[in-house]
Amino acid sequence: MYGPRHRLGDTPVRETKDGRSEIRNWLARAAVAGLIALIAVQAAAGHRSTAGHLLVASQTMSDPRFAETVILMIEHDETGALGLVVNRPLGAVPVARLLERLGERPNPNALNAIQGDIAVHAGGPVEPGRVFILHSPDVMAGGSKTVAEEVAVTVESEMLLLIGQGAGPKDRIFVTGYSGWGPGQLDEELARADWAVVPADRDLIFATNPGKTWLEALSRRGIDL
């Protein structure tokens, strides 16, 4: 029968003739459990959030979907990560057309007043029907959230209305889809040096020539090409 229970781990220790064998087994199990706990603590302590920074694909990036990409990170914690590619332009689209596609139906007078185009970018391979607007913080809509210095994001169509009415922010891009990672996935890619991390920069995010953004971002980390 079992002897008295020991509170350390609430693991019963079977008494043997000399009392040593089961104690050694229990100590071994306790050591393994302690090692697992230590690894978990170290992993949590080693997590480095990239939210508010730019990920720059390395020259050895093996995933063709992310080759030569620059991604503004919106979220990154132990549950996963989400970012928006900022250098994959698809072209300029009239703001009025985007509003119609999003199901927004302003009154005819307001719709006639909506003018201008907005640059559309592919933000990543996940949920291409999901849309975001990255913009400078000189004008903030109701759903705008600051994600980096001089950069905000919103998913509200109110911002499109403001842009179409000439009252929008100075810098803005319309982004479709996003780049997503599961728990720990991005941390593994960072450990493999798949990405460089650089400070977010308004000039890179809203670059007039996105074709040069990747090289410019790499040069800011001093990477020798």
Side-chain angles (χ1 to χ4, degrees), residues 27-164:
L27 287 173
R29 290 193 296 270
V32 171
L35 179 60
I36 292 173
L38 178 61
I39 291 172
V41 170
Q42 289 177 334
H47 170 74
R48 178 176 58 130
S49 177
T50 60
H53 292 73
L54 294 175
L55 292 187
V56 186
S58 70
Q59 294 169 279
T60 57
M61 170 61 69
S62 59
D63 189 335
R65 298 174 300 173
F66 294 107
E68 299 186 1
T69 56
V70 178
I71 301 177
L72 173 63
M73 295 305 298
I74 308 298
E75 300 174 356
H76 183 195
D77 56 27
E78 289 81 0
T79 65
L82 182 150
L84 304 174
V85 177
V86 296
N87 65 328
R88 287 279 174 85
L90 300 174
V93 176
V95 174
R97 184 185 302 174
L98 286 176
L99 284 168
E100 290 176 348
R101 289 185 178 180
L102 292 174
E104 296 293 332
R105 303 188 182 281
N107 66 66
N109 291 334
L111 188 59
N112 291 335
I114 293 173
Q115 300 178 353
D117 299 338
I118 187 171
V120 178
H121 287 241
V126 184
E127 292 189 66
R130 188 171 174 183
V131 299
F132 306 81
I133 300 174
L134 289 174
H135 62 91
S136 51
D138 47 311
V139 175
M140 301 286 278
S144 293
K145 172 187 173 184
T146 301
V147 292
E149 187 176 358
E150 297 189 325
V151 183
V153 65
T154 182
V155 296
E156 300 293 336
S157 57
E158 176 189 352
M159 180 58 76
L160 271 182
L161 286 168
L162 291 173
I163 293 170

